[in-house]
mmCIF file of all heavy atoms in Angstrom:
data_model
loop_
_atom_site.group_PDB
_atom_site.id
_atom_site.type_symbol
_atom_site.label_atom_id
_atom_site.label_comp_id
_atom_site.label_asym_id
_atom_site.label_seq_id
_atom_site.Cartn_x
_atom_site.Cartn_y
_atom_site.Cartn_z
ATOM 1 N N THR Y 48 125.636 -76.792 101.734
ATOM 2 C CA THR Y 48 126.080 -78.201 101.455
ATOM 3 C C THR Y 48 125.698 -78.977 102.667
ATOM 4 O O THR Y 48 126.105 -78.557 103.798
ATOM 5 C CB THR Y 48 127.595 -78.319 101.197
ATOM 6 O OG1 THR Y 48 127.893 -77.536 100.046
ATOM 7 C CG2 THR Y 48 127.891 -79.753 100.920
ATOM 8 N N VAL Y 49 125.024 -80.115 102.549
ATOM 9 C CA VAL Y 49 124.723 -81.042 103.633
ATOM 10 C C VAL Y 49 125.531 -82.268 103.438
ATOM 11 O O VAL Y 49 125.480 -82.876 102.270
ATOM 12 C CB VAL Y 49 123.232 -81.228 103.907
ATOM 13 C CG1 VAL Y 49 122.594 -80.028 104.561
ATOM 14 C CG2 VAL Y 49 122.519 -81.567 102.653
ATOM 15 N N VAL Y 50 126.023 -82.891 104.515
ATOM 16 C CA VAL Y 50 126.986 -83.937 104.396
ATOM 17 C C VAL Y 50 126.537 -85.200 105.145
ATOM 18 O O VAL Y 50 126.609 -86.307 104.692
ATOM 19 C CB VAL Y 50 128.404 -83.484 104.725
ATOM 20 C CG1 VAL Y 50 129.305 -84.689 104.658
ATOM 21 C CG2 VAL Y 50 128.870 -82.374 103.884
ATOM 22 N N THR Y 51 126.091 -84.942 106.393
ATOM 23 C CA THR Y 51 125.731 -86.038 107.315
ATOM 24 C C THR Y 51 124.288 -86.330 107.295
ATOM 25 O O THR Y 51 123.419 -85.428 107.224
ATOM 26 C CB THR Y 51 126.109 -85.568 108.733
ATOM 27 O OG1 THR Y 51 127.506 -85.100 108.792
ATOM 28 C CG2 THR Y 51 125.979 -86.745 109.723
ATOM 29 N N GLY Y 52 124.000 -87.651 107.274
ATOM 30 C CA GLY Y 52 122.568 -88.135 107.362
ATOM 31 C C GLY Y 52 121.835 -87.467 108.488
ATOM 32 O O GLY Y 52 122.391 -87.518 109.609
ATOM 33 N N GLY Y 53 120.637 -86.934 108.252
ATOM 34 C CA GLY Y 53 119.889 -86.328 109.319
ATOM 35 C C GLY Y 53 120.270 -84.858 109.585
ATOM 36 O O GLY Y 53 119.687 -84.236 110.459
ATOM 37 N N GLU Y 54 121.345 -84.375 108.920
ATOM 38 C CA GLU Y 54 121.771 -83.057 109.216
ATOM 39 C C GLU Y 54 120.700 -82.004 108.833
ATOM 40 O O GLU Y 54 120.059 -82.077 107.867
ATOM 41 C CB GLU Y 54 123.049 -82.806 108.361
ATOM 42 C CG GLU Y 54 123.725 -81.413 108.549
ATOM 43 C CD GLU Y 54 124.996 -81.255 107.803
ATOM 44 O OE1 GLU Y 54 125.317 -82.222 106.958
ATOM 45 O OE2 GLU Y 54 125.710 -80.217 107.967
ATOM 46 N N VAL Y 55 120.713 -80.954 109.693
ATOM 47 C CA VAL Y 55 119.807 -79.799 109.427
ATOM 48 C C VAL Y 55 120.665 -78.529 109.481
ATOM 49 O O VAL Y 55 121.415 -78.330 110.371
ATOM 50 C CB VAL Y 55 118.590 -79.706 110.495
ATOM 51 C CG1 VAL Y 55 117.845 -78.446 110.302
ATOM 52 C CG2 VAL Y 55 117.765 -80.890 110.479
ATOM 53 N N LYS Y 56 120.546 -77.742 108.465
ATOM 54 C CA LYS Y 56 121.225 -76.457 108.406
ATOM 55 C C LYS Y 56 120.240 -75.307 108.166
ATOM 56 O O LYS Y 56 119.256 -75.476 107.402
ATOM 57 C CB LYS Y 56 122.313 -76.478 107.320
ATOM 58 C CG LYS Y 56 123.576 -77.154 107.675
ATOM 59 C CD LYS Y 56 124.706 -76.859 106.639
ATOM 60 C CE LYS Y 56 125.997 -77.509 107.108
ATOM 61 N NZ LYS Y 56 127.146 -77.269 106.111
ATOM 62 N N LYS Y 57 120.511 -74.204 108.888
ATOM 63 C CA LYS Y 57 119.619 -73.036 108.680
ATOM 64 C C LYS Y 57 120.283 -71.861 108.189
ATOM 65 O O LYS Y 57 121.511 -71.565 108.530
ATOM 66 C CB LYS Y 57 118.952 -72.717 110.059
ATOM 67 C CG LYS Y 57 117.925 -73.723 110.520
ATOM 68 C CD LYS Y 57 117.129 -73.244 111.705
ATOM 69 C CE LYS Y 57 116.046 -74.232 112.058
ATOM 70 N NZ LYS Y 57 115.173 -73.732 113.119
ATOM 71 N N LEU Y 58 119.762 -71.175 107.238
ATOM 72 C CA LEU Y 58 120.239 -69.991 106.613
ATOM 73 C C LEU Y 58 119.196 -68.962 106.646
ATOM 74 O O LEU Y 58 118.257 -68.927 105.792
ATOM 75 C CB LEU Y 58 120.687 -70.251 105.220
ATOM 76 C CG LEU Y 58 121.563 -69.283 104.500
ATOM 77 C CD1 LEU Y 58 122.959 -69.186 105.077
ATOM 78 C CD2 LEU Y 58 121.656 -69.681 102.999
ATOM 79 N N LYS Y 59 119.156 -68.173 107.736
ATOM 80 C CA LYS Y 59 118.040 -67.190 107.968
ATOM 81 C C LYS Y 59 116.689 -67.906 107.894
ATOM 82 O O LYS Y 59 116.371 -68.720 108.764
ATOM 83 C CB LYS Y 59 118.101 -66.091 106.982
ATOM 84 C CG LYS Y 59 119.386 -65.228 107.038
ATOM 85 C CD LYS Y 59 119.380 -64.032 106.146
ATOM 86 C CE LYS Y 59 120.798 -63.290 106.264
ATOM 87 N NZ LYS Y 59 120.807 -62.154 105.270
ATOM 88 N N ARG Y 60 115.870 -67.591 106.941
ATOM 89 C CA ARG Y 60 114.537 -68.229 106.921
ATOM 90 C C ARG Y 60 114.490 -69.517 106.110
ATOM 91 O O ARG Y 60 113.431 -70.148 105.968
ATOM 92 C CB ARG Y 60 113.544 -67.179 106.232
ATOM 93 C CG ARG Y 60 113.275 -65.950 107.060
ATOM 94 C CD ARG Y 60 112.380 -64.912 106.265
ATOM 95 N NE ARG Y 60 113.112 -64.411 105.105
ATOM 96 C CZ ARG Y 60 112.950 -64.882 103.894
ATOM 97 N NH1 ARG Y 60 112.070 -65.826 103.660
ATOM 98 N NH2 ARG Y 60 113.664 -64.287 102.878
ATOM 99 N N LEU Y 61 115.609 -69.980 105.662
ATOM 100 C CA LEU Y 61 115.728 -71.259 104.930
ATOM 101 C C LEU Y 61 116.333 -72.342 105.774
ATOM 102 O O LEU Y 61 117.280 -72.094 106.495
ATOM 103 C CB LEU Y 61 116.676 -71.082 103.731
ATOM 104 C CG LEU Y 61 116.150 -70.377 102.453
ATOM 105 C CD1 LEU Y 61 115.607 -69.032 102.664
ATOM 106 C CD2 LEU Y 61 117.221 -70.375 101.325
ATOM 107 N N THR Y 62 115.607 -73.479 105.843
ATOM 108 C CA THR Y 62 116.057 -74.676 106.511
ATOM 109 C C THR Y 62 116.259 -75.836 105.567
ATOM 110 O O THR Y 62 115.291 -76.161 104.860
ATOM 111 C CB THR Y 62 114.943 -75.065 107.618
ATOM 112 O OG1 THR Y 62 114.819 -73.969 108.538
ATOM 113 C CG2 THR Y 62 115.493 -76.193 108.425
ATOM 114 N N PHE Y 63 117.430 -76.414 105.620
ATOM 115 C CA PHE Y 63 117.828 -77.529 104.779
ATOM 116 C C PHE Y 63 117.920 -78.777 105.607
ATOM 117 O O PHE Y 63 118.577 -78.760 106.641
ATOM 118 C CB PHE Y 63 119.186 -77.204 104.084
ATOM 119 C CG PHE Y 63 119.128 -75.950 103.290
ATOM 120 C CD1 PHE Y 63 119.393 -74.712 103.902
ATOM 121 C CD2 PHE Y 63 118.845 -75.928 101.912
ATOM 122 C CE1 PHE Y 63 119.420 -73.527 103.144
ATOM 123 C CE2 PHE Y 63 118.821 -74.724 101.183
ATOM 124 C CZ PHE Y 63 119.141 -73.554 101.810
ATOM 125 N N GLN Y 64 117.447 -79.852 105.087
ATOM 126 C CA GLN Y 64 117.556 -81.122 105.810
ATOM 127 C C GLN Y 64 118.027 -82.222 104.822
ATOM 128 O O GLN Y 64 117.605 -82.315 103.696
ATOM 129 C CB GLN Y 64 116.279 -81.562 106.435
ATOM 130 C CG GLN Y 64 116.303 -82.797 107.306
ATOM 131 C CD GLN Y 64 115.188 -82.880 108.250
ATOM 132 O OE1 GLN Y 64 114.170 -82.117 108.166
ATOM 133 N NE2 GLN Y 64 115.233 -83.844 109.176
ATOM 134 N N PHE Y 65 118.989 -83.073 105.364
ATOM 135 C CA PHE Y 65 119.505 -84.198 104.579
ATOM 136 C C PHE Y 65 118.829 -85.424 105.269
ATOM 137 O O PHE Y 65 118.912 -85.593 106.454
ATOM 138 C CB PHE Y 65 121.022 -84.279 104.754
ATOM 139 C CG PHE Y 65 121.739 -85.038 103.589
ATOM 140 C CD1 PHE Y 65 121.051 -85.389 102.447
ATOM 141 C CD2 PHE Y 65 123.089 -85.302 103.694
ATOM 142 C CE1 PHE Y 65 121.677 -86.131 101.401
ATOM 143 C CE2 PHE Y 65 123.760 -86.027 102.722
ATOM 144 C CZ PHE Y 65 123.058 -86.393 101.548
ATOM 145 N N GLY Y 66 118.280 -86.300 104.428
ATOM 146 C CA GLY Y 66 117.671 -87.502 104.974
ATOM 147 C C GLY Y 66 118.625 -88.386 105.749
ATOM 148 O O GLY Y 66 119.805 -88.415 105.401
ATOM 149 N N ASP Y 67 118.123 -89.209 106.609
ATOM 150 C CA ASP Y 67 119.000 -90.050 107.399
ATOM 151 C C ASP Y 67 119.767 -91.005 106.568
ATOM 152 O O ASP Y 67 120.944 -91.386 106.866
ATOM 153 C CB ASP Y 67 118.097 -90.872 108.371
ATOM 154 C CG ASP Y 67 117.451 -90.017 109.511
ATOM 155 O OD1 ASP Y 67 118.026 -88.948 109.695
ATOM 156 O OD2 ASP Y 67 116.465 -90.560 110.111
ATOM 157 N N ALA Y 68 119.162 -91.475 105.493
ATOM 158 C CA ALA Y 68 119.776 -92.438 104.541
ATOM 159 C C ALA Y 68 120.625 -91.744 103.494
ATOM 160 O O ALA Y 68 121.224 -92.432 102.609
ATOM 161 C CB ALA Y 68 118.788 -93.317 103.886
ATOM 162 N N ARG Y 69 120.649 -90.443 103.526
ATOM 163 C CA ARG Y 69 121.451 -89.623 102.538
ATOM 164 C C ARG Y 69 120.872 -89.862 101.083
ATOM 165 O O ARG Y 69 121.716 -89.827 100.087
ATOM 166 C CB ARG Y 69 122.898 -89.869 102.577
ATOM 167 C CG ARG Y 69 123.406 -89.562 104.078
ATOM 168 C CD ARG Y 69 124.928 -89.211 104.055
ATOM 169 N NE ARG Y 69 125.721 -89.972 103.143
ATOM 170 C CZ ARG Y 69 126.345 -91.092 103.452
ATOM 171 N NH1 ARG Y 69 126.026 -91.664 104.630
ATOM 172 N NH2 ARG Y 69 127.059 -91.816 102.624
ATOM 173 N N LYS Y 70 119.542 -90.096 100.928
ATOM 174 C CA LYS Y 70 119.029 -90.305 99.590
ATOM 175 C C LYS Y 70 118.096 -89.103 99.293
ATOM 176 O O LYS Y 70 117.530 -89.006 98.149
ATOM 177 C CB LYS Y 70 118.195 -91.565 99.612
ATOM 178 C CG LYS Y 70 119.018 -92.827 99.665
ATOM 179 C CD LYS Y 70 118.091 -94.069 99.549
ATOM 180 C CE LYS Y 70 118.912 -95.313 99.644
ATOM 181 N NZ LYS Y 70 118.045 -96.510 99.474
ATOM 182 N N ASP Y 71 117.682 -88.259 100.208
ATOM 183 C CA ASP Y 71 116.797 -87.255 99.994
ATOM 184 C C ASP Y 71 117.091 -86.032 100.805
ATOM 185 O O ASP Y 71 117.805 -86.071 101.773
ATOM 186 C CB ASP Y 71 115.346 -87.705 100.299
ATOM 187 C CG ASP Y 71 115.241 -88.230 101.697
ATOM 188 O OD1 ASP Y 71 114.983 -87.387 102.603
ATOM 189 O OD2 ASP Y 71 115.430 -89.430 101.866
ATOM 190 N N SER Y 72 116.547 -84.911 100.360
ATOM 191 C CA SER Y 72 116.725 -83.670 101.088
ATOM 192 C C SER Y 72 115.514 -82.691 100.886
ATOM 193 O O SER Y 72 114.741 -82.912 99.910
ATOM 194 C CB SER Y 72 117.987 -82.936 100.513
ATOM 195 O OG SER Y 72 118.292 -81.698 101.192
ATOM 196 N N SER Y 73 115.403 -81.734 101.736
ATOM 197 C CA SER Y 73 114.362 -80.853 101.598
ATOM 198 C C SER Y 73 114.847 -79.376 101.921
ATOM 199 O O SER Y 73 115.820 -79.238 102.642
ATOM 200 C CB SER Y 73 113.204 -81.160 102.486
ATOM 201 O OG SER Y 73 113.578 -81.140 103.914
#
Side-chain angles (χ1 to χ4, degrees):
Chain Y
T48 300
V49 285
V50 179
T51 307
E54 182 177 4
V55 177
K56 280 192 173 178
K57 291 193 175 184
L58 193 66
K59 296 183 181 178
R60 293 174 294 98
L61 278 61
T62 301
F63 304 85
Q64 186 162 8
F65 202 13
D67 291 341
R69 304 206 315 274
K70 294 182 179 181
D71 56 87
S72 181
S73 63

